[in-house]
Amino acid sequence: MQSSDTPAKISVPFANAGAKNTIPVPSQISVTPGAASFTDGFPPLTRTPLASGGVPPFGQDMNGVLFAITDIQQWQSAGGLFPWDSALSTAIGGYPKGAHVINATATGVWINQTENNTTNPDTGGAGWVSDSAYGVLALTGLTNANVTLTNAQAVNNRISLSGTLTGNIQIIVPNWTKDWTFLNSTTGAFSVTVKTAAGSGISLLGGGVPTILTCDGTNVIQQSYNIALATQVAQAMRLGQKPLTLLQAYTSGNNSPVVPAGVFGIYYKVWGAGGGGGGGSTAAQAGNAAGAGGYAEGWMAVTPGQTLTANVGTKGTGGAATGIAGTSGGVSTLSNGTITVTCNGGGNGAGGGTGGGIGGTATGGDFTAQGGNGVGPLLANAAGTQYYAPPGGASFGVGAAVSGYGNGAGTPGRAPGGGGAGGTGGSAGAFVGGDGANGAIYIWG
């Protein structure tokens, strides 16, 4: 059926001005021979031959039956609803789940959330919600206990959270295919994660900022609205616009930044460390160049006073001038306790061979990029006595290391995360490989 299949509306009930009987509910078999009722319909006597004592049905009864039916249809055609009815509720054993009744003042609608509901919504009956509040659920007084939403709670589309947190909590939703908008106004340096009982989840933004989530029947994932927001910020930052304030810029070490007051979301850029280039040898070859570290950027929910983990990967060192390989770059990580961004270091450059180090990968960010690969040994120079030092891999947004192209040590990788160049090699002398560059973590808020 399609919307274009809508039937004509009934503007006047059948026999509106015609002669008709009011059809009673009780049986009329022992009251008026041949009279119709809602209990019996037209009685057996009206289907008995006249020669056998039967009685023809009353035309006014037929008009009365059709009037009773189409009178309701006329009301419904006009969009009308009925108020709660005690007698009807008793007769049918209570209103079904999902029933709509108009309130006593005809200014709103009650919506039933339980089966066989006999309570009166106009006097505070249980199981009814007003259409003005339907779809809105407030979870108040949250502290450190997880909350499992009942089906009646989870049916709401918009869920607000408040309270002073004393620990990380989870909001457990049913394994439905459904969207929710969460508004997290809790205070305290702890996270709120929305997930299913067995699946994965998403950490909410704070400060009452809407977080639109969807459940795919197994896991809770972030809606494209939030990802698009992060992308817009990223694009603005790449264009040189700074919509946020730089809070931290780490280029080494294991760090524990504390989220400032009033900050409920951070934007980050993370680079893994570059690998060290391979050393050249006098056996007429140059060392291989190293790969750059992986890269990630994106948006992360935090709460004021929360302590984050920001560990910067350490650079790989260049190999010795005896054809020794360099070392790989270290891993950089940023975590809010729920989401961890990992940027692997670049691969080391070998002391000889035919290929450079492989760029590091990254996971956990809204946007990730693999670091550039290092270059393998280059051809000998014109004199034929030395092999050029090959350039290291470039990390995302950072240029590659510059090769010495001749007798010289490998150039260090460009910060952050660049791979070190290979060392020159050949019969006229050998040189060490270049160190990679440390990783880095930048945080805006």
Side-chain angles (χ1 to χ4, degrees):
M1 179 173 287
Q2 302 179 12
S3 59
S4 58
D5 297 327
T6 304
K9 296 180 179 65
I10 295 176
S11 59
V12 178
F14 188 87
N16 186 53
K20 53 187 174 291
N21 293 332
T22 299
I23 308 301
V25 172
S27 173
Q28 300 298 299
I29 289 178
S30 61
V31 179
T32 302
S37 68
F38 277 102
T39 298
D40 296 321
F42 288 96
L45 192 61
T46 62
R47 301 187 295 278
T48 302
L50 297 181
S52 302
V55 175
F58 297 105
Q60 294 93 329
D61 278 356
M62 178 63 74
N63 281 350
V65 169
L66 294 177
F67 176 84
I69 295 171
T70 56
D71 191 30
I72 293 175
Q73 291 181 326
Q74 179 208 32
W75 179 253
Q76 293 174 333
S77 292
L81 293 174
F82 294 93
W84 184 84
D85 188 312
S86 176
L88 176 66
S89 176
T90 300
I92 64 176
Y95 282 83
K97 183 178 181 179
H100 289 52
V101 297
I102 196 166
N103 65 22
T105 59
T107 57
V109 173
W110 295 109
I111 304 171
N112 182 28
Q113 295 187 308
T114 63
E115 301 288 4
N116 304 315
N117 192 348
T118 60
T119 64
N120 183 353
D122 292 309
T123 58
W128 297 89
V129 294
S130 170
D131 62 344
S132 63
Y134 186 66
V136 178
L137 171 67
L139 299 178
T140 60
L142 300 178
T143 54
N144 59 2
N146 295 340
V147 178
T148 299
L149 299 185
T150 65
N151 288 353
Q153 291 175 315
V155 74
N156 294 282
N157 297 322
R158 193 174 179 89
I159 301 175
S160 63
L161 313 176
S162 62
T164 301
L165 298 183
T166 57
N168 297 332
I169 66 170
Q170 297 176 345
I171 307 298
I172 312 298
V173 299
N175 291 337
W176 294 349
T177 301
K178 176 178 170 57
D179 296 338
W180 291 277
T181 298
F182 284 85
L183 296 93
N184 178 21
S185 298
T186 59
T187 58
F190 299 96
S191 65
V192 179
T193 301
V194 179
K195 64 185 295 294
T196 59
S200 61
I202 294 293
S203 180
L204 297 179
L205 298 172
V209 177
T211 305
I212 303 174
L213 302 179
T214 188
C215 181
D216 60 9
T218 302
N219 301 309
V220 173
I221 58 178
Q222 198 168 24
Q223 275 280 36
S224 59
Y225 165 86
N226 302 91
I227 297 173
L229 174 62
T231 301
Q232 290 170 5
V233 175
Q235 290 173 343
M237 294 173 74
R238 290 194 190 113
L239 292 172
Q241 303 166 359
K242 302 298 182 184
L244 304 173
T245 300
L246 181 63
L247 301 177
Q248 299 289 349
Y250 297 115
T251 56
S252 65
N254 295 333
N255 308 281
S256 301
V258 177
V259 178
V263 175
F264 294 90
I266 60 169
Y267 204 83
Y268 59 84
K269 291 186 176 185
V270 180
W271 288 266
S281 76
T282 56
Q285 63 179 14
N288 289 272
Y295 172 81
E297 66 178 71
W299 183 266
M300 183 180 289
V302 295
T303 55
Q306 180 181 2
T307 299
L308 308 179
T309 300
N311 297 333
V312 178
T314 302
K315 66 182 180 180
T317 57
T322 52
I324 302 300
T327 61
S328 297
V331 179
S332 295
T333 59
L334 175 66
S335 177
N336 65 357
T338 301
I339 298 173
T340 298
V341 178
T342 302
C343 294
N344 295 309
N348 63 300
T354 59
I358 303 302
T361 57
T363 59
D366 295 327
F367 170 83
T368 60
Q370 184 173 357
N373 296 332
V375 177
L378 300 180
L379 295 176
N381 63 12
T385 57
Q386 296 295 106
Y387 280 77
Y388 297 130
S395 53
F396 185 82
V398 182
V402 178
S403 172
Y405 289 106
N407 294 339
T411 305
R414 287 184 178 173
T424 302
S427 59
F431 297 84
V432 298
D435 291 344
N438 279 352
I441 299 176
Y442 290 77
I443 300 173
W444 289 263

